[in-house]
Each structure stands twice: as structure tokens, then as C-alpha cells.
Amino acid sequence: MKIAIASDHAAIDLKAELAQWLRDEGHDVADLGPATADRVDYPDYGYKLATAIASGDAERGIALCGSGIGISIAVNRNPACRAALVGEPLSAALSREHNDANVLAMGARLTGVDMAKACVTAFLTTEFGGGRHAGRVEKLSHPAL
């Protein structure tokens, strides 16, 4: 699977750990930055990730910042993106099953590496349930429906 990952400076270590782990698992990972721990603004990287999802350059995205809140808000500014902020695997799975989330957001200051990997695994292995959820998900990208 083609996965884009981006963070701010607060989550650069978690980003590097997850990116390498995903590559080891056989995924094609696009690291959208940043490349160093120098201070950056999370909206810039959230927008980069959203663009990769909206353009089809990536099937799924992982957005990381200190809390996960700011970068998830930035990603969700793009109508093609459905970013879900999670801290445990059940929420990650439900974000896919019920909401067809295409971006997983997490906070590096709140979520350890092992829990983050469990969330990513649930996110990548859960399919969208469709059915009664499909119309609701359609309204997320087209509010006038």
C-alpha cells in the first residue's frame, strides 16, 4: 500500500520509527517531512499530506504532531480527506469501518510507539463497512447532500 506520512518537529522520532516499520512490513512509504527536528508549523505538513491523499499519490496517510489535534485539523481542511485522531486500536478500526478514514492522526506526546503501531495496524487492515455508513461518509465531502 502507498502510505504518506508527515509530522511536525514534536513527532519526528515517532514518524521515523513508523516509516521504517511500515517499509519493513512491505509498504511503499512517502515521508513528506520534516527531515530534521527543527521547529516547523504543523499546518504546512498537514496540508502536504492532504494534497498527497487528494491527488491519489497515496492511498492512506499518517499525520503526527505533539497532540495529533493540530495536524488532524489541517488535514481535514481538504474535502478529500477524512482524518481521524485516535489513541487506541479500536478507534482506529472504527474510523475505517464507519467513517472510511483515509488519514490516521496521532499525538506523539500522548501515544507510545507500540500503541501507535497497533493503531496503524488496525487502520490499515480494517475495510470500510459501507451500507448505512456510505451516505454519511459521502456527506463529509459534500455537505449539501
Side-chain angles (χ1 to χ4, degrees), residues 79 81-82 99 135-143:
C81 295
R82 292 174 302 281
N99 310 111
R136 297 170 185 153
V137 169
E138 184 65 22
K139 287 181 179 183
L140 294 174
S141 295
H142 304 94

Side-chain angles (χ1 to χ4, degrees), residues 22-91:
L22 287 164
R23 287 182 186 106
D24 292 345
E25 293 291 311
H27 296 286
D28 182 5
V29 178
D31 185 338
L32 304 180
T36 71
D38 295 340
R39 187 192 137 333
V40 297
D41 295 328
Y42 60 79
D44 298 334
Y45 291 90
Y47 297 152
K48 281 175 93 170
L49 180 58
T51 298
I53 294 295
S55 69
D57 289 341
E59 298 169 66
R60 302 267 178 87
I62 299 172
L64 307 165
C65 69
S67 67
I69 297 167
I71 201 163
S72 69
I73 292 170
V75 170
N76 278 324
R77 302 284 297 177
N78 187 312
C81 295
R82 292 174 302 281
L85 174 59
V86 306
E88 39 70 37
L90 178 58
S91 293

Side-chain angles (χ1 to χ4, degrees), residues 67-123:
S67 67
I69 297 167
I71 201 163
S72 69
I73 292 170
V75 170
N76 278 324
R77 302 284 297 177
N78 187 312
C81 295
R82 292 174 302 281
L85 174 59
V86 306
E88 39 70 37
L90 178 58
S91 293
L94 290 173
S95 78
R96 288 285 309 130
E97 184 180 345
H98 292 185
N99 310 111
D100 198 19
N102 52 12
V103 177
L104 184 71
M106 294 181 288
R109 293 182 178 140
L110 306 172
T111 308
V113 172
D114 291 338
M115 182 60 72
K117 288 179 181 178
C119 291
V120 170
T121 297
F123 178 72

